[in-house]
């Protein structure tokens, strides 16, 4: 299964070749996706920026995630990830957008959403899709799996 983090040469090359810009909405990763991306020379050619929306309040205020979505599905859900990426699209319109939310632990998990559950939502040239992952291990290992 592909990992949401570890932005490698293929992604760099693909974005540059297609002339796409990129933006992130980060919750679980707390800015790690952005930090990992800008460590590489050339990121300024396509990276617009990111929002770090760790709290539910930030998700609502900055990205317009609806209260009823958070209440009905939780901050860690495909529905929330999709609303995050749609909100990001309004704030930082880019050809490629990604939002990630999840549970890094050690607490906060449940039988339905164990620690390590991660949801990502993406918009690529107008097409919207989402993915789910469940990573095992410590908080550090889960964060590393998500953001490299």
């Amino acid at each position: 299964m592909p990992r949401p983090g570890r932005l490698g040469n293929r992604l760099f090359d693909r974005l540059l070749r297609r002339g796409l810009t990129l933006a992130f909405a980060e919750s679980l990763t707390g800015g790690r996706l952005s930090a990992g991306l800008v460590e590489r020379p050339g990121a300024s050619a396509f990276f617009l920026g990111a929002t770090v929306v760790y709290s539910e309040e930030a998700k609502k205020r900055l990205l317009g995630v609806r209260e009823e979505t958070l209440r009905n599905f939780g901050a860690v859900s495909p529905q929330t990830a999709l609303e995050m990426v749609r909100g990001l699209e309004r704030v930082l319109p880019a050809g490629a957008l990604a939002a990630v939310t999840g549970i890094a632990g050690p607490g906060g998990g449940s039988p339905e959403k164990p620690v390590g559950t991660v949801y990502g939502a993406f918009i690529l040239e107008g097409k919207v899709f989402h993915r789910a992952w469940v990573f095992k291990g410590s908080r550090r290992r889960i964060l590393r799996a998500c953001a490299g």
Side-chain angles (χ1 to χ4, degrees), residues 9-21 41-46:
N9 290 330
R10 285 187 9 203
L11 177 60
F12 248 72
D13 293 344
R14 182 175 292 164
L15 290 170
L16 288 171
R17 188 171 51 253
R18 292 169 84 173
L20 295 176
T21 53
S44 61
F46 59 86

Side-chain angles (χ1 to χ4, degrees), residues 123-140:
I123 301 175
L124 181 59
E125 295 181 304
K127 295 179 183 165
V128 180
F129 57 101
H130 63 88
R131 300 267 330 240
W133 297 268
V134 178
F135 298 107
K136 304 286 185 201
S138 67
R139 179 179 182 85
R140 176 177 279 185

Side-chain angles (χ1 to χ4, degrees), residues 29-42:
T29 52
R32 286 173 176 83
L33 285 171
S34 300
L37 183 67
V38 300
E39 284 179 4
R40 301 185 53 153

Side-chain angles (χ1 to χ4, degrees), residues 60-120:
K60 291 187 294 188
R61 286 182 184 247
L62 299 175
L63 297 179
V65 174
R66 296 174 303 139
E67 176 68 41
E68 49 272 21
T69 300
L70 295 166
R71 185 175 47 253
N72 294 333
F73 303 104
V76 178
S77 66
Q79 295 85 354
T80 295
L82 286 164
E83 287 191 24
M84 287 171 60
V85 81
R86 286 291 193 197
L88 178 64
E89 185 177 39
R90 288 188 298 275
V91 176
L92 289 170
L97 301 112
V100 64
T101 186
I103 306 166
S110 69
E112 299 81 31
K113 296 178 192 173
V115 168
T117 299
V118 176
Y119 295 103

